[in-house]
Amino acid sequence: MMYKVLIVDDEPMIREGLRTIVDWESEGFEIIDTASNGKEGLEKFGQIAPDLTIVDIRMPGMTGLDLIERVRKENSTAHFLILSGYAEFDYAKRAIVSGVSGYLLKPVDEAELLDELRRVHELLQREKEARSARIEQEAALPKAQLVEELLFEDDPQDGEHREKLVNALGLSAPAYRIVLLDAHGGAETESRQHAVFRQRLKEAFEEKNGDILFSAGSHIGLLLVRQNHAECGDKLRNQLAEAAGGLEFHASCGPAVDHLLEISASFREAEHLLHARFFFENGSVIDPAAYQALFATENVDELTLESEDGPQLGDKLYYALDIRSRDAVEKVLTELEQEAVSRRMDEAAVRGEYSRTLSLAMGKLSSGSSSAAELAQNYHSLLLSDVNQAQSYGALKQQVHTRFGELIDRFGGANKDTVLKQMIDFIRRNYSENLKLELLAEMFGYNSGYLGKLFKNYTGEYFNAFVDKVRVEKAKELLAQGLKVHQVAARVGYSNADYFHSKFRKYVGTSPSAYRNEAHGEQQGGES
């Protein structure tokens, strides 16, 4: 076998002189090509993949060292001899540290060149023998190990090595596909269940179909060897479910490829799809079509996501729980689900969004000292545990719905009084919130205009006026305790102190400060 040589030098006489100074063939080398500058040398290196490149260290434009550094980014095993003059000797010695095999001083001496060629030839021979030994070992490896090395080898650019692995596998089929499985069971029995699962997979796929079972980190891998491309349907799902027994699992199916050298692409896609397993039910086989269907965004614009100045979902959930309305809770949870899908949240983001929303609602519900508040505190912990431990998004949603149903039942279910009585109670409890008729109408399932008329007929007050009066009555209590006007305004739900001042004067007939001074003075006089 002749080793290929590329000569890169900007001086024609050097290029031609090197061709004739020694008998290359007798030393086991063949000059395949030459290049007159670094850029051309880099291009020809990529085309012919020489075993040895002899390169001038100083050339206009791309220097020899530049060329070597560019090659080293993709090829860590290439061999180089550099040419340098005496003035560049120190520079050349530094280049050796960068991984070149040696250097030659100009003008090139025949004996020195022969010594370097023979040394490099010996290096190349040792590397060839090492590769042959490794390939012989690999040929005797189990097929699972060959697949794993083909997928996870350190140097995916080593085409010769990959071809040897493919040959060692000895497979011939028009299509290949990677399937990845994530299986999980009870903590005490999971190890045994996994062993049984792998054995059943081996029987169903390896022994019957000639597929290959392998390990992919914490996942189980299957290289499907098929005569057609239709392996991701119900048949595969049923085979996996039968092998799993009672063990829960998710699977992902990479695209079919025509050659074993391309299975890395199928593996990468299967790995990407399996990251979405949280959103699929137990026993699902996730393929690109299922993934796209889950995260379809055609209707995102139709989703009524919360605006910056509108109530947050946590607030709306609190309102729904406070009025003991199952329907209102269901509506808010549906909004939360739509938001998670429309924003293509990953598993961690979904858990975080649910935790934040539920904590906001349950925190407000737990803030009082009543038995209902104590009950809400207990359920707060249960809900967060459910969110963090759910094995799938479907299980998370179902458990949260169930918990809230239980909570409303323990609160006593929906209030048997009229909707209007519930509204009045709600306003008296939540006067400090940003209360709007439209929001309550949504919670109770009414048209806001119609509900406003009912409210006016029942109370004799328009909704906003009723809220203002409740707030002003509470403000009078706080002012009598000696709180400052701006503190009272904020506590009763007015972010603007001037607006509070005008409302207070309208309903009380005096300013908040005057009322405070008079009421606080009377209290102090009575205490003395």
Side-chain angles (χ1 to χ4, degrees):
M1 172 185 172
M2 291 289 177
Y3 291 110
K4 298 180 290 185
V5 178
L6 171 66
I7 298 174
V8 185
D9 198 297
D10 61 329
E11 298 181 51
M13 290 184 63
I14 297 292
R15 297 197 300 271
E16 292 307 313
L18 286 173
R19 279 184 178 276
T20 59
I21 193 172
V22 297
D23 184 352
W24 291 88
E25 289 189 7
S26 66
E27 301 300 329
F29 291 94
E30 178 184 6
I31 297 177
I32 298 296
D33 207 345
T34 64
S36 60
N37 57 60
K39 183 179 179 182
E40 182 185 6
L42 186 62
E43 292 174 356
K44 289 190 174 181
F45 186 97
Q47 294 167 2
I48 66 177
D51 300 295
L52 172 64
T53 302
I54 300 177
V55 56
D56 187 7
I57 200 169
R58 292 279 193 186
M59 291 181 291
M62 181 182 288
T63 69
L65 287 185
D66 292 336
L67 185 153
I68 293 169
E69 289 173 359
R70 292 282 295 275
V71 169
R72 281 278 181 257
K73 291 179 179 178
E74 303 293 335
N75 188 323
S76 60
T77 60
H79 290 277
F80 292 91
L81 290 176
I82 58 173
L83 298 171
S84 69
Y86 282 103
E88 301 150 345
F89 183 67
D90 290 338
Y91 189 42
K93 286 193 294 184
R94 289 200 302 272
I96 295 175
V97 179
S98 301
V100 301
S101 299
Y103 64 91
L104 297 164
L105 290 175
K106 294 180 181 180
V108 177
D109 180 78
E110 177 183 350
E112 290 182 3
L113 177 57
L114 285 173
D115 285 344
E116 290 296 331
L117 290 179
R118 288 165 185 169
R119 187 172 60 80
V120 172
H121 190 276
E122 186 177 345
L123 283 172
L124 290 168
Q125 283 292 101
R126 287 202 300 266
E127 290 173 0
K128 179 183 176 183
E129 291 167 4
R131 282 197 302 271
S132 297
R134 185 178 67 177
I135 290 168
E136 288 179 7
Q137 290 175 347
E138 288 167 349
L141 291 175
K143 289 188 174 183
Q145 197 167 336
L146 292 170
V147 171
E148 290 165 19
E149 188 158 349
L150 193 58
L151 289 171
F152 311 123
E153 63 180 332
D154 295 333
D155 186 7
Q157 303 299 323
D158 190 346
E160 181 181 355
H161 180 216
R162 290 171 60 79
E163 286 284 0
K164 295 293 184 182
L165 290 171
V166 168
N167 292 336
L169 278 168
L171 299 175
S172 178
Y176 305 91
R177 190 190 296 268
I178 294 292
V179 171
L180 291 178
L181 296 111
D182 178 70
H184 39 86
E188 297 180 358
T189 59
E190 187 168 347
S191 180
R192 183 180 61 81
Q193 287 177 310
H194 271 220
V196 172
F197 187 29
R198 291 185 70 96
Q199 181 58 36
R200 288 175 176 171
L201 289 171
K202 188 177 182 66
E203 294 170 358
F205 290 89
E206 277 197 349
E207 297 175 5
K208 289 185 180 179
N209 301 325
D211 303 319
I212 298 175
L213 190 72
F214 63 94
S215 296
S218 61
H219 305 315
I220 300 171
L222 272 172
L223 171 62
L224 300 185
V225 183
R226 291 289 192 269
Q227 302 303 314
N228 58 67
H229 289 200
E231 299 96 6
C232 286
D234 292 337
K235 181 180 178 181
L236 175 64
R237 186 180 299 106
N238 293 337
Q239 286 178 304
L240 295 176
E242 185 176 351
L247 188 66
E248 293 188 353
F249 76 93
H250 289 85
S252 63
C253 206
V257 295
D258 299 329
H259 197 283
L260 279 172
L261 287 174
E262 300 168 351
I263 62 169
S264 292
S266 184
F267 174 83
R268 286 192 299 272
E269 179 64 14
E271 194 173 37
H272 169 69
L273 294 173
L274 196 58
H275 285 159
R277 61 190 176 278
F278 181 64
F279 299 96
F280 289 85
E281 294 303 315
N282 172 44
S284 296
V285 177
I286 310 164
D287 60 13
Y291 180 87
Q292 290 299 326
L294 174 70
F295 291 110
T297 56
E298 292 84 351
N299 298 320
V300 170
D301 291 340
E302 298 176 13
L303 301 180
T304 310
L305 302 182
E306 60 201 57
S307 61
E308 292 185 1
D309 59 348
Q312 299 294 302
L313 286 177
D315 289 326
K316 294 172 75 171
L317 181 57
Y318 161 63
Y319 299 152
L321 289 166
D322 195 47
I323 63 174
R324 317 297 196 252
S325 171
R326 284 178 176 272
D327 290 341
V329 168
E330 292 293 323
K331 285 181 182 179
V332 179
L333 292 179
T334 297
E335 281 190 60
L336 185 56
E337 294 162 17
Q338 290 174 330
E339 184 168 352
V341 173
S342 69
R343 294 183 180 176
R344 294 194 176 214
M345 293 179 179
D346 60 16
E347 177 180 343
V350 167
R351 292 189 194 272
E353 188 67 18
Y354 268 76
S355 295
R356 283 190 295 274
T357 301
L358 301 187
S359 290
L360 177 58
M362 299 303 290
K364 287 190 173 185
L365 206 59
S366 307
S367 61
S369 57
S370 64
S371 59
E374 184 178 348
L375 183 60
Q377 290 174 9
N378 295 333
Y379 268 79
H380 188 181
S381 299
L382 292 172
L383 282 161
L384 291 183
S385 177
D386 293 336
V387 169
N388 291 323
Q389 294 180 14
Q391 292 293 328
S392 70
Y393 187 40
L396 185 156
K397 292 190 298 182
Q398 181 60 47
Q399 191 62 20
V400 168
H401 281 257
T402 300
R403 287 287 188 205
F404 279 129
E406 293 173 0
L407 181 58
I408 289 176
D409 285 342
R410 296 192 65 180
F411 278 156
N415 197 311
K416 294 182 180 180
D417 292 340
T418 65
V419 168
L420 296 171
K421 178 63 168 61
Q422 291 182 55
M423 282 180 66
I424 292 169
D425 291 342
F426 180 81
I427 292 168
R428 295 191 185 282
R429 287 193 302 271
N430 298 283
Y431 56 84
S432 62
E433 300 286 339
N434 182 22
L435 300 179
K436 293 182 179 179
L437 179 62
E438 292 77 13
L439 177 61
L440 289 181
E442 180 184 346
M443 293 293 101
F444 284 104
Y446 278 79
N447 172 276
S448 60
Y450 178 66
L451 185 61
K453 291 179 181 178
L454 290 178
F455 190 87
K456 174 68 164 60
N457 291 336
Y458 186 80
T459 64
E461 301 281 0
Y462 288 107
F463 177 81
N464 289 336
F466 186 89
V467 172
D468 284 334
K469 286 187 175 181
V470 170
R471 288 172 171 171
V472 166
E473 286 302 314
K474 184 61 179 179
K476 288 164 66 176
E477 295 176 17
L478 297 173
L479 288 168
Q481 296 171 17
L483 272 68
K484 294 180 179 180
V485 173
H486 73 274
Q487 294 175 320
V488 173
R491 287 198 185 187
V492 299
Y494 293 108
S495 58
N496 185 305
D498 291 337
Y499 186 66
F500 166 62
H501 188 281
S502 66
K503 290 293 182 182
F504 192 90
R505 181 177 288 278
K506 176 181 178 180
Y507 293 112
V508 182
T510 187
S511 69
S513 56
Y515 182 88
R516 173 184 176 277
N517 292 337
E518 181 179 352
H520 193 50
E522 288 178 359
Q523 282 191 359
Q524 289 181 330
E527 292 169 358
S528 60

